[in-house]
Amino acid sequence: MIPDLYAALVAPFADFAFMRRALVGAVALSVGAGPIGVFLMLRRMSLTGDAMAHAILPGAAVGFLIAGLSLPAMTLGGLVAGVSVALLTGLVARATALREDAALAAFYLLSLALGVTLVSLKGSNVDLLHVLFGSVLALDDDALLLLCGVSTVTLFALALIYRPLALECVDPGFLGSVSRSGGAAHLVFLGLVVLCLVAGFQALGTLLAVGVMMLPAAAARFWTDSLAGMFVASITVGTLSSVAGLLGSYHFGVPAGPAIILAAGCLYLLSLALGLRGGVLWRLAPAPRHRTA
């Protein structure tokens, strides 16, 4: 029994360096993206994360056209594109009658179509799949350093702006009345969202990077009401999803990136059903009756 468990759960990581690299990269991404996803969810910006994930595609595609599958070029291009779309969306929302969500949706669709077209001009179908779905099993030292560095920067930056972000989730009107830090914290937060998505793009591609950010955060919401508890739960779900997805990819030959996101989706559905804070089964359970003397 124990040898079978070792072969199924431990041997793939013990025997193959590419599996260990993939695990380190995916866990590092989960550590940084999990808390970001929690704040996106609590601020009702979940779809903003998805839109921003697609917004980085044209910049990454330009980097690909210039330097091929170069980590620095595609990372820099994606970062510039993501920040530009965020700024343009805010500008359009303030200067026109179009709401911010509609402006972001327009830029997101334009970015996705433009990015796919640019990659197709020079690359093959394999290159396009690499950009859209990532290559977590092919992470090198530079990619691992990028993922770990981004997670470290994200956690430190969130610690600095934690108070205004948390207050804005609860009572933005009160925050505006006692402090002017809300606007600056919001801009820094959007920058962190773009940074995490650009890092996640290296491992999971533009279409799946937001999954490791939002699905663990959504699952965490069913287990705890405290903000710190949701951070820990989201990182835990992301880590478990990474392990399960990589093992599923190894044993069953499915693509690793989608397998990680499917594992996160399964844990979300499990939390939706069994979670102690609003899970379906707990809501359907009959309320306890108190006896009267």
Side-chain angles (χ1 to χ4, degrees):
M1 182 65 179
I2 294 179
D4 291 339
L5 288 177
Y6 177 86
L9 302 179
V10 180
F13 300 109
D15 296 342
F16 299 100
F18 72 90
M19 288 289 289
R20 294 193 295 272
R21 288 174 178 272
L23 180 61
V24 171
V27 170
L29 182 59
S30 299
V31 170
I36 291 289
V38 170
F39 273 122
L40 282 172
M41 177 185 64
L42 294 178
R43 291 158 64 92
R44 296 177 175 85
M45 295 173 61
S46 300
L47 293 180
T48 300
D50 184 54
M52 294 305 300
H54 296 83
I56 69 176
L57 183 54
V62 171
F64 172 76
L65 290 177
I66 295 173
L69 292 172
S70 167
L71 177 64
M74 295 179 72
T75 298
L76 179 60
L79 190 60
V80 170
V83 172
S84 299
V85 168
L87 294 176
L88 284 173
T89 298
L91 181 63
V92 169
R94 285 163 177 77
T96 69
L98 199 64
R99 293 172 61 90
E100 187 173 15
D101 59 340
L104 189 60
F107 281 118
Y108 135 65
L109 293 171
L110 178 63
S111 299
L112 180 60
L114 179 61
V116 171
T117 302
L118 288 175
V119 174
S120 301
L121 289 177
K122 180 181 177 180
S124 63
N125 289 336
V126 174
D127 295 325
L128 182 60
L129 289 175
H130 172 88
V131 171
L132 293 179
F133 299 105
S135 54
V136 68
L137 293 179
L139 295 177
D140 56 15
D141 290 342
D142 292 337
L144 288 180
L145 287 175
L146 174 66
L147 289 167
C148 294
V150 166
S151 293
T152 302
V153 169
T154 299
L155 293 179
F156 274 108
L158 283 178
L160 292 176
I161 61 173
Y162 175 84
R163 191 177 298 273
L165 283 181
L167 282 175
E168 195 170 25
C169 292
V170 178
D171 192 345
F174 173 75
L175 176 63
S177 66
V178 300
S179 173
R180 296 182 179 179
S181 61
H186 179 70
L187 291 177
V188 172
F189 176 69
L190 286 180
L192 293 176
V193 173
V194 174
L195 193 62
C196 282
L197 289 172
V198 169
F201 158 79
Q202 306 298 331
L204 300 174
T206 57
L207 295 184
L208 297 177
V210 72
V212 77
M213 183 180 289
M214 295 313 307
L215 285 171
R221 185 64 183 86
F222 290 104
W223 295 104
T224 177
D225 292 328
S226 73
L227 196 53
M230 280 188 271
F231 289 164
V232 173
S234 65
I235 292 173
T236 302
V237 171
T239 300
L240 291 175
S241 303
S242 300
V243 174
L246 289 172
L247 288 174
S249 173
Y250 176 83
H251 290 296
F252 302 105
V254 296
I260 291 174
I261 303 305
L262 280 175
C266 290
L267 289 177
Y268 164 73
L269 293 176
L270 185 65
S271 301
L272 175 66
L274 303 178
L276 301 177
R277 295 293 184 269
V280 173
L281 293 183
W282 288 96
R283 285 182 174 273
L284 294 178
R289 296 182 179 180
H290 298 283
R291 291 185 178 182
T292 58

